Amino acid sequence: MNASTLVQKIWNFCHTLRDDGVGYGDYLEQLTTLLFLKLAHEYSQPPYHRDTHIPRSCDWPSLRGRTGEPLEAHYLHVLHRLGEEPGMLGAIFFKAQNKIQDPAKLARLVQMIDAEDWISLDVDTKGDLYEGLLQKNAEDTKSGAGQYFTPRPLIRAMVECVRPRPGKTIADPACGTGGFFLGAYAWLTREGATLDKKQKAFLHRETFFGNEIVAATRRLCLMNLFLHNIGDLDGEPTVERADALIAESRRKFDYVLANPPFGKKSSMTITNADGEEDRDALTYERQDFWQTTSNKQLNFLQHIVSMLKTTGQAAVVLPDNVLFEGGAGERIRRKLLETCDVHTLLRLPTGIFYAQGVKANVLFFDAKPKDGKARRPRACGSTTCAPTSISR
């Protein structure tokens, strides 16, 4: 089966589940967990023989040998058991749930995934299929999934302006489904780019670091990265399920590419012993912040500055209020101009985000060297990014 036929097959079944009340997000979650199990099984077979750390009682063959209610019961057991495992395995299955209530539909999905040899598909085919599902999920505005999905043309434009180099670290403190990581990966592996063995290994395991506080979105991100050949099945995930704003980053990064969540109020997610989550209003008291505020957009901007190495560069999507409001916003902008070389402001057209009417911008800035002298602005692809002020 060729790639286009496989994509259409996936979409057709997605529409069937939609008729039964399963949204794109729920469908994508089931596809993620089942596809991971199938891939892990394929990697455990010749010629790879990789130890995936999945117990035999919870592996792919244990699923495909069942149908009906026994399949549904066993699938629930698998999700619970693997969610308690360490490393990327536990991260993928953390708080995973079965949203497909019809055992026959679940069996059909298992059969559809089992019929394909996923490892034989090239990275682009697997990645494009998954990215297409993510975009469709984001377009389902009723689910609110669009807040985790940055339009890919915008990501490509930001990455091409920053022009990340091999052997450098890239971070996103609110990484959603991993769009900026994949955009940077595509740039670093573009046609004509040459990477030596050490650079390829660094890109595979040590380049990308992020935070995503929503468990289901983090799961989508980890699978998205894995399908694009980033990370290992038996390795530790480099995307943390934690609020990035709680504390200063443990390490500094060469690049930060981010689209922090829009909305002025910060909140903290509290998980109790039963795994239930609640949110509480939060003002971050951090010694490294210039200003204490409950505005999470301003907090993300301060946090991103704190994440940069002295030679670090950042490109951040920010709504209008961050650039123009007074009080804490004005004081933070002044400190930003003192601390960083804020060289470019890219005004975005309205309507590119799934939340309609949002007026947003991309702010490009570099951390100033220790001598305090700003570096000269660089060219953004074929267009020179002219210096601009963010004050009115």
Side-chain angles (χ1 to χ4, degrees), residues 201-374:
F202 189 90
L203 179 61
H204 179 65
R205 299 183 181 90
E206 303 177 60
T207 296
F208 303 106
F209 298 86
N211 292 73
E212 176 47 56
I213 196 170
V214 180
T217 307
R218 180 188 183 221
R219 175 164 40 255
L220 299 181
C221 177
L222 291 172
M223 176 56 76
N224 204 10
L225 295 178
F226 177 68
L227 288 178
H228 285 84
N229 198 35
I230 302 171
D232 291 312
L233 285 172
D234 53 357
E236 288 296 321
T238 57
V239 176
E240 297 184 26
R241 195 189 71 86
D243 187 348
L245 298 178
I246 291 293
E248 185 175 0
S249 176
R250 294 189 297 271
R251 61 183 298 175
K252 305 295 183 182
F253 302 95
D254 296 291
Y255 305 99
V256 176
L257 300 165
N259 178 12
F262 290 3
K264 293 186 177 182
K265 292 297 182 182
S266 292
S267 62
M268 177 171 60
T269 300
I270 302 169
T271 305
N272 61 24
D274 297 326
E276 299 171 341
E277 293 185 350
D278 194 13
R279 301 182 75 82
D280 193 15
L282 179 66
T283 298
Y284 297 92
E285 298 281 354
R286 280 178 48 176
Q287 296 298 316
D288 60 317
F289 275 10
W290 303 315
Q291 187 74 33
T292 298
T293 174
S294 61
N295 186 320
K296 67 181 178 183
Q297 298 161 341
L298 293 173
N299 284 329
F300 265 110
L301 180 58
Q302 295 182 89
H303 179 68
I304 287 168
V305 173
S306 75
M307 295 171 67
L308 292 174
K309 294 181 178 180
T310 56
T311 56
Q313 304 171 38
V316 187
V317 179
L318 296 171
D320 273 5
N321 71 284
V322 173
L323 302 183
F324 303 130
E325 73 175 35
E330 182 177 356
R331 291 188 287 273
I332 289 171
R333 286 196 303 275
R334 290 185 182 277
K335 293 297 293 184
L336 177 66
L337 291 170
E338 293 173 7
T339 307
C340 299
D341 173 16
V342 185
H343 56 81
T344 306
L345 174 64
L346 173 63
R347 183 69 164 162
L348 300 177
T350 57
I352 67 171
F353 293 102
Y354 295 102
Q356 295 300 315
V358 173
K359 294 182 179 180
N361 316 268
V362 182
L363 197 63
F364 296 87
F365 57 89
D366 303 340
K368 287 182 179 177
K370 292 183 178 180
D371 60 11
K373 296 180 180 179

Side-chain angles (χ1 to χ4, degrees), residues 157-158 160-163 341-346 362-365 375-388:
M158 292 170 63
E160 288 174 9
C161 284
V162 174
R163 305 171 73 87
D341 173 16
V342 185
H343 56 81
T344 306
L345 174 64
L346 173 63
V362 182
L363 197 63
F364 296 87
F365 57 89
R375 293 187 293 275
R376 183 178 300 175
R378 298 166 309 285
C380 292
S382 59
T383 305
T384 300
C385 290
T388 185

Side-chain angles (χ1 to χ4, degrees), residues 31-56 58-64 78 82 85-86 88-90 92-93 113-114 116-120 126 222-223 226-227 231-235:
L31 184 66
T32 295
T33 52
L34 291 170
L35 189 55
F36 184 91
L37 285 171
K38 180 61 161 61
L39 280 164
H41 174 66
E42 291 180 10
Y43 275 121
S44 69
Q45 303 302 302
Y48 305 98
H49 297 291
R50 291 172 63 174
D51 183 2
T52 61
H53 304 283
I54 294 178
R56 292 192 63 180
C58 297
D59 62 7
W60 182 254
S62 74
L63 283 173
R64 69 184 180 191
V78 168
L82 296 183
E85 294 292 317
M88 178 178 272
L89 183 61
I92 289 284
F93 288 91
I113 293 173
D114 189 54
E116 305 302 328
D117 182 4
W118 293 88
I119 289 182
S120 67
K126 289 182 288 191
L222 291 172
M223 176 56 76
F226 177 68
L227 288 178
D232 291 312
L233 285 172
D234 53 357

